[in-house]
Each structure stands twice: as C-alpha cells, then as structure tokens.
Amino acid sequence: MNNAVFNKKGTIKYLLWTFLIAWAIQVAVSVLYRNGLAVFGQLIMAVMMFVPLLGVLLSGNTLSGMGWKPRFKGKVKFLLAAWFLPAILTVIGAVIYFIVFPGHFDMSGGYLLAAVGPEALEQMEAQGFTYPLYVLVSVVSCLTYAPLINMVLAVGEEAGWRGFLYPQLKAKFGKRKGLMIGGVIWGIWHWPVIWLIGYEYGTDYVGFPIVGMLIFCIFTTAAGILCDWLYEKTECIWVPSVFHGAINAAGTIPLAVCTANTGSAVLLGPAPIGVLAGLPLIICAVILLLRSTK
C-alpha cells in the first residue's frame, strides 16, 4: 500500500472517470434542487460517494491490496481516534466559533425550522420531543452508531482517494506535496454543487461561489491528511472510512445549535468546513504534515 509505483496512465484515467461521472451527477442534482426535489438530490449525492471507487475499476486499476480485511490487533487506538476525534475537534472548533460569535448560538430550533419546515418541528414538540432533546440524541448518535453507518458510504470515496489516488500522488510528488495535491483534488471534485446550488455554504456570502470553493479545499486537504495518516497506521481502508463518516456526522451538530442564516460567517463556521471552526482539524493536519517525510 505504501510502496505504490506511480502509474501515470492509470491515474489520468482514474481522474477522468471520477470527475466526469461525479460532475455530471452534480449537475443533475442541481436541477433536482431547483425543481423542489432536494430529497432526491440528497439521495443521489449519497450514492455519488461511490464514484471514486467506481473510478478505480473503470480506469482498469484494482481495489486489491487496500486492506479490506480488518486487522485491529495493536491498532485499536487508531480506530478509536477515527471514531471519536472528529467529534472532539468539531466541538472545540464550534466553541471557538461561538466565543467569537455568541449571538449565533441558538437552541430554539431555528436550524431545523429552516431545513425541513415548521411541520417537522411542530410534530416533534407535539410528541413531547423538545429541541434540546433532539440535539442531545443527535450528539449521542454521533458518538455511537453514526460513524459506522456513514462508513458504508464513505468507503466509496476512501477506496478511490486514500486507497488509490493518494498513494499514486505520494509516489510521484513525495508525501507532503502528494497529500496537499490530493486534498485540493478532493475539494475540486465537489465544486459543481458548491457553485450551482450553494452546497455546504449556501449562496449568501461574500465572494460566492469562488470563496466557498477555495475554503472547502482547505477543509478537504486537512481532512485528507488525517484520513491518510489513519490509513497508513492501520493499512485498513475501513478506518479512514470511519473517520470520514464520523466527520460527516459530527459536522451537523454545530449547525443544529446555530442561527439559520449567518451570512458570510458561514465561511468561518460553526461546522468544521469553516476556517475558524476548522482550526482544530487544520492544526492537527499541519502537525502531521510537518512530521511526515518529504
């Protein structure tokens, strides 16, 4: 896994297939969103996570040797890190954000109201399910089963990025440059939906959509470094998949306790995709990058 030989033709084919399919899907998703079919768009976005894995196969490369058989002996600490570190870093980042923007903290249910409408909130309250309890249940799920469930989808990306592309880039450019380039590529892969429907950051911010597209690359670069670190330490593709799934789960918690519309502040947080709230993740990534060999 760590001794990959750079395959120029295979890598180019992989990138072409992975980007062509994913970008076509994202254009289709944007059409669904604009026609009031966001639920279907979200389902398709979830399925899109398997495109990098599909790209490996369509480009004539192989999925073998990626560590599909779990080997946790002596490596449980890395699995625990994959499971719980995203939540820890997300909470720290959210605290930093709300210290800077205390007026954005909101436990009234404004986030849920904006996301799914007043009916869902009213039904929840009618059943005696208060919004603080909803947040608590979300936190518990984030720390227990959500990383495992999300892992099933996340492995589709991890097999393509960490399993195939990152080893190729590190073989070609060296570890540090390879990780940086891989992170940017991962971010650019999401650009169409950020541009077309305001994915992740919305549309109401300064510099839309370019600033959001660039900031998301910072997040994917940092997250990619940690995913790669876990993959190298365990040689098991499921471990970075757990980390990826845990990030996706934890990232929704700060949003649930934030006002619905924060304008350009969304570029800063409270989710870890923002520069300010993402500082704990970014700092960890920088430390790992500096400690790695060139």
Side-chain angles (χ1 to χ4, degrees):
M1 180 189 71
N2 297 321
N3 299 313
V5 177
F6 180 63
N7 179 353
K8 182 179 179 180
K9 184 178 180 180
T11 301
I12 292 174
K13 283 185 175 181
Y14 165 79
L15 290 173
L16 287 174
W17 276 115
T18 303
F19 272 79
L20 285 173
I21 296 174
W23 281 16
I25 288 174
Q26 290 175 60
V27 170
V29 166
S30 71
V31 173
L32 291 174
Y33 266 76
R34 291 175 179 177
N35 285 277
L37 300 171
V39 173
F40 293 102
Q42 291 169 0
L43 290 173
I44 294 174
M45 284 290 290
V47 173
M48 191 187 77
M49 295 181 74
F50 285 101
V51 169
L53 185 153
L54 181 62
V56 175
L57 298 175
L58 292 175
S59 58
N61 294 293
T62 179
L63 296 173
S64 64
M66 291 187 182
W68 293 99
K69 183 178 180 180
R71 298 186 184 91
F72 297 136
K73 185 177 181 181
K75 300 175 181 180
V76 174
K77 61 182 179 181
F78 296 109
L79 176 60
L80 293 175
W83 205 294
F84 296 108
L85 188 58
I88 295 171
L89 297 178
T90 298
V91 168
I92 295 173
V95 169
I96 295 172
Y97 177 86
F98 288 123
I99 287 175
V100 177
F101 299 100
H104 290 178
F105 187 79
D106 176 29
M107 285 290 287
S108 69
Y111 166 77
L112 191 63
L113 187 67
V116 297
E119 295 81 8
L121 192 59
E122 291 171 359
Q123 290 176 7
M124 185 178 71
E125 293 175 345
Q127 296 173 2
F129 202 68
T130 64
Y131 192 73
L133 183 57
Y134 163 80
V135 174
L136 178 61
V137 170
S138 299
V139 171
V140 172
S141 68
C142 171
L143 295 173
T144 53
Y145 62 86
L148 189 62
I149 293 176
N150 290 352
M151 174 197 72
V152 177
L153 294 174
V155 74
E157 286 198 40
E158 292 306 310
W161 304 130
R162 258 58 68 181
F164 174 74
L165 183 63
Y166 272 43
Q168 290 294 312
L169 294 175
K170 288 187 288 184
K172 173 63 177 178
F173 301 103
K175 186 170 183 179
R176 291 182 183 174
K177 288 183 179 179
L179 289 172
M180 296 291 286
I181 294 171
V184 172
I185 290 173
W186 188 18
I188 293 174
W189 188 69
H190 296 84
W191 275 7
V193 283
I194 295 176
W195 170 36
L196 295 171
I197 60 173
Y199 181 72
E200 300 289 14
Y201 303 101
T203 60
D204 184 25
Y205 60 83
V206 175
F208 170 81
I210 303 300
V211 176
M213 293 158 77
L214 295 177
I215 289 178
F216 194 70
C217 285
I218 296 175
F219 166 73
T220 52
T221 299
I225 290 171
L226 269 72
C227 284
D228 184 76
W229 173 70
L230 289 167
Y231 186 39
E232 285 198 340
K233 290 295 183 180
T234 61
E235 299 186 337
C236 175
I237 199 64
W238 295 107
V239 177
S241 299
V242 169
F243 183 86
H244 190 154
I247 285 181
N248 289 348
T252 63
I253 304 302
L255 295 173
V257 295
C258 185
T259 52
N261 186 7
T262 60
S264 294
V266 70
L267 299 172
L268 301 176
I273 57 171
V275 176
L276 184 60
L279 278 177
L281 180 70
I282 294 170
I283 290 172
C284 286
V286 169
I287 292 172
L288 290 174
L289 193 66
L290 293 177
R291 287 183 175 180
S292 67
T293 57
K294 295 182 179 180

